[in-house]
Amino acid sequence: MIIATRKAASALWLPVLLGSVLLSGCAGQPGKEGIALIDQGKYEEGLAQLAEAAHENSQDPGAQIALTTQRAVVVTRLLAQAEQARAAGNNEAAQAAFQRVLGIEPGNARAREGMRQIVQLRNVAEQYRQAELALARGDLAGAERLVRSILTLEPRHEGALALQEGIEGTRAQTAVAYPQLRSRLQKPVSLEFREANLKLVFEVLAQTAGMNFIFDQDVRPDLKATIYVRQVAIEDAVDLLLQQSQLKQKMVNDNTIVIYPNTPQKLKDYQELVLRTFYLTNTDANTALNMVKTLLKTRDVFVDERLNTLTMRDTPDAVHLAERLFQAQDQANPEVVLELEVMEVSRKRILDLGLQWPNTFGILTEDGGSAVSILGQLRGINSDRINFSPSPTLKINANDSDINTLASPVLRVSNREQARIHIGERVPVVSATSTPSTQGPVITESITYLDVGLKLEVEPTIHLNDEVAIKVGLEVSNATQQPATAAGTIPVQVDTRNAVTTLRLRNGETQVLAGLMRNDHGKSGDRIPGLGDIPGLGRLFGSNKDTLSKSELVLSITPHIVRNLPYQSPYDMEFESGTESGLRLRPAALPREGEASRHRPGAEPLAAAGLDQP
């Protein structure tokens, strides 16, 4: 863990050091002053100096790279300060930091979203007051919209949660299919009938409630009903009677109901249908089509892919249920910004120490031009004709090299979408194919390209608790050409290091992945046999070359959620939808024992009616 922490620190500060080196070499005094100002926390002044240096050295790419790198570092620091201030409840400091970011990068998505949320948090109290007023005057839709906005910012706001329960309770009390019959249908009634003729029961209801019930000619006259209810709404009593006898109802006017058999033909004759077009913002229209057909069994549906709209023709209850479904499902896909730091540190140490002795002995001809090739040329050998190769050489050489390769991509990715980065090159690979023929084999060569370098794949999954699960795939590879084969094809050797993992991080949490290391240790020597193996004195009779190379790959990843799914109240996630045989937005609500009836305050219950028939 200590190593990982050090690597993370070096990865974060490496852009600063890189910018300093670039500026010191080519940007002049304004660039150096800009780096110093940034180190002092004077970000805007420092970036202005760097911009001046880049302008003065417009032909030097190093100055522009340094400006871009320093701007990214400054934005990252300010965003971190803003998030820390928000976590501490200091919205003023967070807003100031976000404003500084927007002054540097006007289009920064994280800063814009942070500013929007801070402004909304300040308006929570006013939104709560407006929601109370909307609920008091009966504007349920307006009150619910305000409550949902509050709970999106503060999911545990006690006042908003209490208002949400009040909205749901009010909606349940007032959710009747036909508002013009509310005053009559909400009156409580008590009924006690056993095996009574159904039409007789409805006659009693008609006389008691002052309503008209008209029966279709196909309703069987011998239908019986048994019902024992006390203090229930007339609407619920009618529903219970109709369900027992497989009947349906249709409201004709403010005091008349037609009762007909629940058969396909009668449903076509009596049931009113509604035509509704839904404009979908985030959900694909074909996906919505499958949902409507699967859950609501709607057959008359049309999709316009150009406008991403869905038009359906069904009963009012089915259309209202579809509206509730789309309200819960048509949400913007969550997005996250991933800040990545990828660094490969390579170290190579070469120690070449010792005395290189000649390993070749030869005799030259008398003219000294070439080595002797026949015995006759050996006459007159002297010291001038004796040749040693190579010449004795004292080797004292130590070579150290460090290579740092850094990539700092910032990706904005949608939920469950994959993002890929490739920084490297495409290496051509030649393959040969031999085809027999009468003239001899025909060699056909083809070229394919292999991606080598740094490849990074990420796929985030954003959870409702502001945690992000990330699938990470990292690969670093390099290609080396090998000696040509007998057929002339040049093979390519690819050295690869890769890691695949899945991690789950909190919003703003940084995780460092390190330890992808490669160590190569090689030794070679050129010494006099026997003498070169003497301990301590061996280097006097030969040379030894030690090569040590080590490379390590470090990945730092930090997720920042830009947009998550909004708060979904229980009213949005769960609602009644009727039975398997028929859709219904509101079920019959029978009062519990000791519970007050659902009639208007001050309304008196109707007298109980009872009739027993054998």
Side-chain angles (χ1 to χ4, degrees):
M1 294 302 295
I2 296 177
I3 294 177
T5 304
R6 290 178 178 173
K7 294 301 179 184
S10 62
L12 293 174
W13 282 101
L14 191 56
V16 180
L17 299 177
L18 179 61
S20 301
V21 172
L22 291 172
L23 286 173
S24 62
C26 58
Q29 188 64 26
K32 296 179 181 179
E33 294 177 356
I35 292 291
L37 290 172
I38 290 176
D39 291 339
Q40 297 172 10
K42 301 177 181 179
Y43 299 139
E44 290 80 4
E45 295 87 341
L47 290 176
Q49 292 285 350
L50 292 177
E52 179 183 351
H55 179 72
E56 293 177 354
N57 300 271
S58 58
Q59 302 299 324
D60 185 3
Q64 186 62 41
I65 293 174
L67 173 61
T68 304
T69 304
Q70 292 297 319
R71 183 186 293 116
V73 171
V74 168
V75 168
T76 301
R77 291 179 184 176
L78 288 175
L79 289 174
Q81 293 177 9
E83 295 296 341
Q84 291 175 359
R86 285 184 59 184
N90 190 351
N91 291 329
E92 288 74 14
Q95 184 177 15
F98 283 135
Q99 287 176 343
R100 294 181 68 183
V101 172
L102 293 176
I104 298 171
E105 286 187 2
N108 189 278
R110 285 180 57 193
R112 286 179 175 272
E113 180 66 17
M115 288 289 293
R116 186 186 67 83
Q117 292 183 3
I118 289 176
V119 172
Q120 289 184 346
L121 282 173
R122 290 178 175 174
N123 296 332
V124 163
E126 178 62 21
Q127 288 179 341
Y128 178 70
R129 189 181 69 84
Q130 294 294 336
E132 286 184 321
L133 295 176
L135 180 60
R137 64 175 178 264
D139 183 8
L140 299 182
E144 185 179 18
R145 183 174 61 255
L146 292 169
V147 168
R148 186 174 299 170
S149 176
I150 296 172
L151 293 177
T152 301
L153 298 172
E154 295 187 19
R156 298 183 180 180
H157 193 285
E158 295 182 358
L161 292 174
L163 278 181
Q164 184 69 43
E165 294 180 0
I167 293 171
E168 294 170 5
T170 304
R171 181 178 278 112
Q173 293 178 4
T174 59
V176 292
Y178 295 88
Q180 66 271 21
L181 294 177
R182 179 178 301 175
S183 60
R184 298 178 183 273
L185 295 176
Q186 285 185 343
K187 292 180 179 179
V189 66
S190 297
L191 299 175
E192 295 181 4
F193 290 95
R194 180 172 61 86
E195 291 296 324
N197 184 275
L198 182 64
K199 292 186 177 181
L200 181 59
V201 176
F202 274 101
E203 181 180 350
V204 173
L205 274 177
Q207 295 175 357
T208 305
M211 298 179 61
N212 301 321
F213 294 97
I214 301 176
F215 287 85
D216 183 86
Q217 61 180 358
D218 292 334
V219 176
R220 290 167 43 201
D222 59 342
L223 291 177
K224 304 291 184 179
T226 299
I227 183 171
Y228 296 93
V229 294
R230 292 184 179 276
Q231 298 299 306
V232 300
I234 294 178
E235 181 184 15
D236 295 335
V238 171
D239 288 341
L240 292 173
L241 291 170
L242 296 180
Q243 289 176 10
Q244 291 182 33
S245 304
Q246 299 296 311
L247 300 175
K248 285 285 188 178
Q249 62 175 332
K250 177 183 178 181
M251 306 295 182
V252 178
N253 53 38
D254 58 354
N255 66 343
T256 303
I257 296 177
V258 175
I259 297 175
Y260 58 92
N262 185 10
T263 61
Q265 183 58 43
K266 291 298 181 180
L267 289 175
K268 292 181 181 180
D269 295 339
Y270 284 100
Q271 203 168 48
E272 298 288 345
L273 300 180
V274 176
L275 192 66
R276 174 76 179 274
T277 298
F278 295 96
Y279 288 84
L280 304 174
T281 304
N282 303 289
T283 303
D284 182 72
N286 290 311
T287 302
L289 172 65
N290 294 332
M291 180 175 63
V292 168
K293 286 187 173 182
T294 302
L295 298 179
L296 305 182
K297 313 301 181 186
T298 301
R299 292 178 298 177
D300 300 334
V301 190
F302 175 77
V303 166
D304 188 339
E305 295 183 355
R306 182 177 62 88
L307 298 177
N308 199 40
T309 61
L310 181 143
T311 303
M312 61 181 296
R313 183 172 183 263
D314 210 327
T315 63
D317 282 339
V319 172
H320 292 159
L321 287 172
E323 182 180 7
R324 295 286 299 276
L325 287 174
F326 294 150
Q327 182 180 358
Q329 297 292 329
D330 191 23
Q331 304 291 344
N333 197 24
E335 290 186 342
V336 62
V337 171
L338 299 177
E339 295 181 356
L340 304 169
E341 296 277 351
V342 184
M343 181 174 61
E344 184 181 14
V345 181
S346 300
R347 302 182 182 91
K348 191 172 184 179
R349 305 289 185 264
I350 300 176
L351 179 61
D352 193 358
L353 181 62
L355 184 62
Q356 182 179 9
W357 291 91
N359 53 22
T360 303
F361 170 79
I363 300 176
L364 302 178
T365 59
E366 292 183 0
D367 58 3
S370 60
V372 298
S373 58
I374 58 177
L375 294 176
Q377 295 176 343
L378 294 176
R379 298 187 185 96
I381 296 177
N382 55 37
S383 59
D384 294 334
R385 295 176 58 188
I386 299 175
N387 178 45
F388 295 95
S389 178
S391 302
T393 305
L394 178 62
K395 291 186 176 182
I396 305 176
N397 182 27
N399 185 12
D400 294 347
S401 61
D402 293 337
I403 302 174
N404 296 323
T405 304
L406 177 67
S408 302
V410 178
L411 304 177
R412 180 165 178 168
V413 192
S414 294
N415 188 36
R416 300 181 183 275
E417 296 291 339
Q418 190 178 71
R420 297 184 180 91
I421 293 178
H422 176 220
I423 303 175
E425 57 186 4
R426 305 191 70 192
V427 177
V429 179
V430 181
S431 59
T433 304
S434 177
T435 305
S437 67
T438 57
Q439 304 297 328
V442 177
I443 306 299
T444 304
E445 292 185 346
S446 61
I447 299 177
T448 58
Y449 290 89
L450 179 67
D451 292 333
V452 296
L454 172 66
K455 290 191 288 186
L456 180 64
E457 296 182 357
V458 291
E459 182 179 344
T461 301
I462 305 172
H463 298 277
L464 291 177
N465 60 348
D466 284 345
E467 292 187 354
V468 183
I470 309 172
K471 294 181 181 179
V472 182
L474 177 64
E475 178 180 316
V476 176
S477 59
N478 61 287
T480 305
Q481 290 187 351
Q482 300 298 310
T485 62
T489 303
I490 300 177
V492 177
Q493 176 182 333
V494 180
D495 298 329
T496 303
R497 283 175 294 164
N498 55 61
V500 178
T501 185
T502 301
L503 57 154
R504 184 162 176 166
L505 303 176
R506 295 186 300 273
N507 185 26
E509 180 183 2
T510 300
Q511 178 64 48
V512 177
L513 304 178
L516 290 176
M517 304 178 67
R518 175 178 176 177
N519 296 323
D520 295 325
H521 189 192
K523 289 186 177 182
S524 61
D526 188 5
R527 53 186 178 271
I528 299 176
L531 297 178
D533 297 329
I534 299 175
L537 300 177
R539 292 188 181 272
L540 297 177
F541 302 97
S543 63
N544 294 306
K545 184 177 182 180
D546 295 338
T547 303
L548 176 63
S549 62
K550 178 180 179 181
S551 62
E552 180 179 5
L553 196 63
V554 179
L555 170 65
S556 171
I557 183 169
T558 305
H560 297 281
I561 297 176
V562 177
R563 179 176 57 240
N564 205 344
L565 289 175
Y567 170 81
Q568 295 285 341
S569 67
Y571 174 76
D572 297 324
M573 294 184 292
E574 180 180 353
F575 45 87
E576 302 292 342
S577 61
T579 63
E580 185 67 24
S581 60
L583 298 175
R584 183 178 175 85
L585 192 61
R586 186 192 63 84
L590 297 179
R592 301 173 185 173
E593 184 177 355
E595 187 180 77
S597 59
R598 296 191 305 115
H599 63 284
R600 293 173 301 167
E604 295 296 332
L606 300 180
L611 181 63
D612 287 351
Q613 290 188 2

